[in-house]
Amino acid sequence: MKHKLKGWARELWSRGLYHTGLWRLVDRLMPPRLLVLAGHCVEEEASNGGLPADMKLSRGRLEYILRTLGRRFPLVSVGAGQRAIAAGAERSMVALSMDDGYADNRSALLPLLERVDGKATVYLESRPLEERRVNWSHKWFWLIDKLDAEQATRLMMVEVTDADTSERLRRLLEEAPGDLAYRSKRVLKYEAPAGARDEALDRIFQEQGGDERALCERIYMDWEDVRALHSSGRFELGGHTVHHHVLSTLTAEEQAEEVRGGREVLVRELGEDAGVSFAYPFGRRWDFDAASADAVQAAGFVGAVTTHAGVVTKGSDPLRLPRWMIDEDTPIHHLVTEACGGFALLRRLGIDLVE
Ligand SMILES: [Zn+2]
């Protein structure tokens, strides 16, 4: 009930601000801020057709969001925006960020940014670039796309050598939830031992005729693509670790290796301006810890973004910067309200309508 009421109040407040134009006034009243949008892919059947819908936006939708926000706010990169806000910028800004480094970022996002005259930050996993290999979740998505969530979960239940994981998957199948794809991925991500999960998934992937290199070529950019983004002048390239593990599940040394290793190859290929900003894989507060933040700083990054909602202001912790996740269904009035400081204004009054 409380949750419902909150959602209703959020709609009322943000629609009101947006449709009356009052958001422009709020923007003038509130201190300068940076809204960082976060996504993964621009929808493109040939490259990301097999990826889950919540990782994609259509070109039309993304262009509409950027044009609407871009009429009032400069569209900057995360690193540039963060530095400007910390240095006392007088205007608020919006930054688009895309995680992992998918192929559409070059084929669809680059021309889109040229059309709207904007910039973006792409956070790159380094292993797909260096070894043309993908992390476990892409084998999982591929399997679900080829079979379906139920069959994929059943195969995993049989193949995985860890008894607890197998039992968890069996119970999920028994409950047969509507969001089985999502729930089974959560079990594999947070509950299954990584070694047993990866080994079983590799076996199933091969048995089903999967080709890891071909999959990587299809969905991820290669270095040539990344260099094209870099030389366009519209992209900041940031770090997103080597393997895209949940950092909080690793030791401090392993975390340092993941974060530093990801930055080293970026700087090697693109120079120092590629190693400014970092995104924690998955980005929820339980996905990283104090050792992750230390690793980010030690590796030489200036800031790190999470996937918790909010805006960056002068006092924000540079190693835990908020971002606003966007997909096809994200309402424009929510984004405008966050960008103008509308939700922050309410928080000042003791009302928190977000998260
Ligand atoms: Zn990611």
Side-chain angles (χ1 to χ4, degrees):
M1 187 61 203
K2 200 181 155 207
H3 192 72
K4 235 179 164 167
L5 231 112
K6 229 172 146 172
W8 185 74
R10 181 166 59 217
E11 279 306 303
L12 199 70
W13 173 246
S14 55
R15 277 177 197 268
L17 281 187
Y18 179 54
H19 292 294
T20 59
L22 271 174
W23 63 278
R24 293 187 179 83
L25 178 67
V26 175
D27 178 42
R28 271 205 295 276
L29 294 174
M30 295 295 286
R33 73 212 77 85
L34 169 71
L35 170 65
V36 184
L37 307 173
H40 294 90
C41 299
V42 181
E43 204 168 11
E44 184 183 65
E45 190 52 35
S47 67
N48 57 47
L51 268 53
D54 63 0
M55 291 179 74
K56 298 181 255 189
L57 282 103
S58 64
R59 283 164 217 235
R61 185 67 193 164
L62 184 57
E63 188 161 339
Y64 171 70
I65 288 172
L66 294 179
R67 280 195 192 282
T68 304
L69 293 169
R71 274 201 289 275
R72 178 144 190 118
F73 305 104
L75 302 172
V76 298
S77 68
V78 177
Q82 183 198 339
R83 282 179 160 147
I85 292 292
E90 285 175 9
R91 287 191 71 179
S92 291
M93 289 159 274
V94 169
L96 171 69
S97 65
M98 298 291 239
D99 290 8
D100 306 343
Y102 295 112
D104 59 82
N105 291 180
R106 180 186 184 182
S107 49
L109 183 58
L110 172 58
L112 196 157
L113 288 181
E114 273 160 3
R115 287 200 294 279
V116 303
D117 192 22
K119 296 198 174 187
T121 298
V122 170
Y123 293 107
L124 296 165
E125 263 176 271
S126 69
R127 191 169 178 239
L129 291 163
E130 292 285 278
E131 301 173 31
R132 302 315 274 158
R133 297 196 59 190
V134 301
N135 70 55
W136 69 271
S137 70
H138 284 296
K139 292 179 188 165
W140 184 243
F141 296 146
W142 180 88
L143 206 59
I144 288 181
D145 188 48
K146 180 166 197 284
L147 309 169
D148 58 38
E150 193 192 325
Q151 282 195 64
T153 305
R154 202 171 294 284
L155 277 177
M156 198 65 184
M157 176 192 82
V158 173
E159 286 290 329
V160 73
T161 52
D162 178 67
D164 289 343
T165 304
S166 183
E167 175 58 19
R168 282 287 290 123
L169 295 175
R170 190 190 64 75
R171 267 187 280 142
L172 264 188
L173 281 163
E174 222 171 67
E175 295 162 20
D179 55 351
L180 182 63
Y182 172 79
R183 304 250 319 255
S184 55
K185 189 188 167 205
R186 275 191 76 84
V187 170
L188 297 179
K189 179 169 150 191
Y190 290 119
E191 298 177 34
R197 173 199 63 205
D198 294 353
E199 190 208 346
L201 202 46
D202 278 349
R203 215 163 37 235
I204 302 169
F205 181 76
Q206 295 213 336
E207 276 164 14
Q208 292 292 323
D211 179 338
E212 185 169 354
R213 196 181 174 91
L215 181 60
C216 188
E217 293 288 348
R218 175 153 59 87
I219 59 178
Y220 281 96
M221 290 187 286
D222 59 21
W223 277 121
E224 199 257 317
D225 295 319
V226 171
R227 275 190 289 271
L229 296 194
H230 188 243
S231 62
S232 75
R234 296 199 175 274
F235 284 85
E236 171 191 34
L237 286 316
H240 198 40
T241 74
V242 178
H243 291 91
H244 208 280
H245 294 315
V246 177
L247 284 175
S248 56
T249 63
L250 307 179
T251 66
E253 290 73 31
E254 287 166 340
Q255 293 198 43
E257 190 55 42
E258 278 290 321
V259 177
R260 189 183 52 234
R263 185 172 187 271
E264 273 170 7
V265 293
L266 281 181
V267 171
R268 181 197 74 206
E269 292 292 324
L270 307 167
E272 282 290 328
D273 61 339
V276 175
S277 192
F278 175 85
Y280 298 107
F282 308 107
R284 306 299 286 174
R285 43 180 91 81
W286 48 86
D287 295 321
F288 60 93
D289 55 24
S292 324
D294 289 346
V296 169
Q297 204 162 28
F301 289 107
V302 176
V305 295
T306 69
T307 49
H308 287 280
V311 284
V312 177
T313 57
K314 205 168 178 192
S316 295
D317 178 350
L319 297 174
R320 288 168 187 79
L321 300 172
R323 288 192 293 175
W324 197 288
M325 301 300 290
I326 51 171
D327 62 28
E328 196 68 10
D329 302 322
T330 307
I332 189 72
H333 49 275
H334 288 182
L335 298 177
V336 165
T337 302
E338 187 69 299
C340 77
F343 289 125
L345 174 63
L346 282 189
R347 271 195 295 277
R348 279 191 180 184
L349 303 172
I351 309 165
D352 192 354
L353 295 182
V354 178
E355 295 196 300

